[in-house]
Amino acid sequence: MTDRKYADICIVGGAGHVGLPMALSFASAGSRVQIYDINEETLATIAAGKMPFVDDGADEYLRHALDNDRLTLTSDPADITPTGVLVITIGTPVDEFLNPSHGEVKSAIDTLLPYITDEHLIVLRSTLYPGTTDWLHRYLEDCGRKTRVSFCPERSVQGRAIKELAELPQIVSGTSAAAITEAKQFFMPVVPEIVELPPLEAEFVKLFDNSYRYIEFAIANQFFMVADQAGADYSKVHFGMTYGYDRARHMPRPGFTAGPCLFKDTMQIAAFARNQFSLGNSAMLVNEGLVLYVIEKIAAKFDLANVTVGLLGMAFKAESDDIRASLSYKMKKHLMMRAKNVLTTDPYVLNDPALSPLDGVIEQSDVLVVCAPHSDYRGMDVKGKPVFDVWNHITKPISADVTKGMA
Ligand SMILES: NC(=O)c1ccc[n+]([C@@H]2O[C@H](COP(=O)([O-])OP(=O)(O)OC[C@H]3O[C@@H](n4cnc5c(N)ncnc54)[C@H](O)[C@@H]3O)[C@@H](O)[C@H]2O)c1
């Protein structure tokens, strides 16, 4: 993995869910793209022409990029192209105390610093704690660099990054006029529209977009629990609320709200607002609490200690292979302490050796729980087993994709 070439773009963290689809989109538009990533195993998978995760249309883009020699891969920072655009797409998590973990961006930049030149435009694309873009500008200046710094957030839904890059307006911000001009030129060929904002406002846009979704789902989940506890059929309530009633038209349906972005971005705002983001914190209690609510529902009907529970769908959302921050695993962890046995299955997930085939899980379980509403489960024969299905997915199939828009 030491292929050194001048490239138009180097994507740092380019083997990840944001970086790789972006690399493929730009390669498809004719750019020479370099992926720099510390995960050598994933780089090897990509070099072999195999997508390491599902993204709509990506397999074909990858083949095309490799066949046309538009993609190079490296894990050596010394290989990064000395000119062009450095796009940063590394993970920006919260720590075990739900505080933002600032170390990742600084440590990635420090590793690259000897190779960062004044010819580079840095495009920060990871979701950032407010103020990070200005911090990086100052940091590079203190290190004697004239590198331009911009923040242009990724806002696509996980699994549709290639498609949505070409569909969504691109927020562009920069710490200087030159940075903004260069970032606009960079994105212009691949995005439909550009929205220019100052860096702090752009950082808030990304965090607030995700947090807004998280709170929306929490409203749906809380309504569900209130109605369900009272013995009401919430699917009927939801239908009544939304049918022909435009003001409630966007009301999501209940479901496990998880994944690598919504929760942690809401917590980034909570930390930034000195833990005064009460709506965000309440949303977290509701969304995380839905899993425990379902467990209590099962416990109210069955003697859990004598019951094998089968969990259907371990990915964090429908039609995805991504188990990062999936609430299915929270449910598994809690049930392991209380149930006789817990079996798990998922048609998409390939990196969990504990999974079993669907038929066996249905056969051997006393109770089933729909954790991710994969389309394979819609209307399937559950062999008379009781099903706990907050999505209302198996028993009364729904027409809309309930997870549409979850990131
Ligand atoms: N997944 C999404 O759909 C999505 C959508 C919008 C925004 N985001 C944001 O984008 C960022 C990346 O998310 P992701 O889902 O792609 O994460 P990911 O874990 O899939 O990818 C991150 C990649 O960065 C690599 N990496 C980590 N540290 C590195 C370093 N120091 N140098 C080089 N490579 C390094 C990892 O090996 C990995 O391949 C996060 O800030 C996330 O919040 C994600």
Side-chain angles (χ1 to χ4, degrees):
M1 298 282 170
T2 50
D3 217 350
R4 183 179 176 130
K5 280 187 189 167
Y6 276 74
D8 304 306
I9 307 160
C10 170
I11 305 207
V12 178
H17 291 75
V18 166
L20 182 53
M22 186 176 180
L24 298 180
S25 296
F26 276 87
S28 154
S31 299
R32 294 165 305 158
V33 182
Q34 183 185 54
I35 286 178
Y36 162 68
D37 201 292
I38 51 175
N39 189 333
E40 298 203 356
E41 203 181 320
T42 312
L43 289 180
T45 305
I46 299 166
K50 205 170 156 357
M51 276 299 292
F53 49 81
V54 175
D55 197 89
D56 213 357
D59 296 302
E60 208 176 304
Y61 274 67
L62 177 56
R63 213 171 309 121
H64 186 264
L66 292 172
D67 288 351
N68 290 282
D69 208 17
R70 300 246 177 87
L71 199 60
T72 54
L73 304 151
T74 184
S75 58
D76 185 347
D79 281 346
I80 66 164
T81 181
T83 59
V85 183
L86 283 185
V87 185
I88 313 290
T89 64
I90 64 169
T92 47
V94 285
D95 68 15
E96 67 271 41
F97 304 110
L98 303 181
N99 293 312
S101 177
H102 299 293
E104 278 73 7
V105 174
K106 181 167 185 306
S107 132
I109 293 292
D110 282 342
T111 305
L112 294 172
L113 202 52
Y115 314 103
I116 292 179
T117 72
D118 292 350
E119 306 304 313
H120 282 133
L121 164 72
I122 293 185
V123 171
L124 293 159
R125 191 144 179 87
S126 303
T127 305
L128 298 179
Y129 186 77
T132 307
T133 311
D134 284 328
W135 165 81
L136 181 61
H137 176 93
R138 290 193 305 274
Y139 186 66
L140 289 172
E141 254 185 6
D142 289 349
C143 297
R145 299 295 197 286
K146 295 192 180 70
T147 316
R148 274 82 57 223
V149 177
S150 73
F151 171 61
C152 308
E154 167 86 24
R155 291 193 298 163
S156 64
V157 71
Q158 206 265 310
R160 277 184 52 82
I162 289 182
K163 293 244 157 28
E164 291 197 353
L165 182 69
E167 292 168 1
L168 297 178
Q170 177 61 53
I171 309 282
V172 167
S173 72
T175 57
S176 64
I180 294 169
T181 305
E182 288 178 37
K184 278 180 171 173
Q185 279 165 357
F186 173 60
F187 277 107
M188 215 95 83
V190 293
V191 301
E193 199 180 338
I194 283 177
V195 177
E196 190 185 318
L197 292 174
L200 184 62
E201 281 77 355
E203 288 163 346
F204 275 129
V205 165
K206 172 61 200 169
L207 289 170
F208 285 172
D209 269 342
N210 271 0
S211 193
Y212 174 68
R213 293 293 286 155
Y214 194 66
I215 292 167
E216 259 191 336
F217 289 123
I219 297 170
N221 287 335
Q222 181 127 60
F223 283 174
F224 165 77
M225 287 187 270
V226 170
D228 189 66
Q229 240 160 2
D233 179 342
Y234 184 69
S235 64
K236 291 184 177 154
V237 178
H238 184 273
F239 177 75
M241 281 175 70
T242 53
Y243 183 72
Y245 193 66
D246 220 36
R247 284 184 285 275
R249 174 166 61 95
H250 295 297
M251 182 73 203
R253 292 182 170 81
F256 292 171
T257 307
C261 287
L262 300 192
F263 171 87
K264 68 113 178 152
D265 290 349
T266 306
M267 292 305 106
Q268 304 249 15
I269 299 173
F272 183 79
R274 296 178 189 82
N275 290 321
Q276 299 304 306
F277 184 29
S278 48
L279 257 183
N281 282 323
S282 301
M284 187 256 274
L285 297 179
V286 173
N287 288 332
E288 293 283 309
L290 181 60
V291 168
L292 308 178
Y293 177 81
V294 172
I295 293 175
E296 290 314 320
K297 266 185 78 115
I298 303 171
K301 276 201 162 175
F302 299 91
D303 175 13
L304 262 182
N306 289 310
V307 160
T308 294
V309 184
L311 303 185
L312 310 179
M314 300 306 285
F316 84 82
K317 66 174 182 175
E319 272 56 88
S320 171
D321 60 349
D322 194 345
I323 59 171
R324 293 177 301 164
S326 167
L327 283 178
S328 310
Y329 286 88
K330 175 171 180 154
M331 171 150 268
K332 178 180 175 183
K333 198 156 67 178
H334 279 270
L335 281 170
M336 299 252 290
M337 307 282 288
R338 296 177 64 181
K340 184 171 88 180
N341 197 8
V342 185
L343 301 173
T344 55
T345 183
D346 193 296
Y348 295 92
V349 176
L350 302 174
N351 55 351
D352 177 357
L355 299 186
S356 309
L358 176 63
D359 286 349
V361 170
I362 294 177
E363 199 68 48
Q364 292 166 45
S365 300
D366 303 302
V367 171
L368 299 169
V369 181
V370 181
C371 293
H374 294 313
S375 56
D376 305 43
Y377 302 152
R378 203 165 270 178
M380 76 180 178
D381 180 7
V382 294
K383 311 259 188 283
K385 301 288 168 78
V387 183
F388 289 79
D389 179 9
V390 298
W391 311 86
N392 203 29
H393 183 67
I394 291 186
T395 40
K396 294 174 201 155
I398 46 177
S399 53
D401 177 5
V402 288
T403 60
K404 198 168 169 235
M406 262 199 201

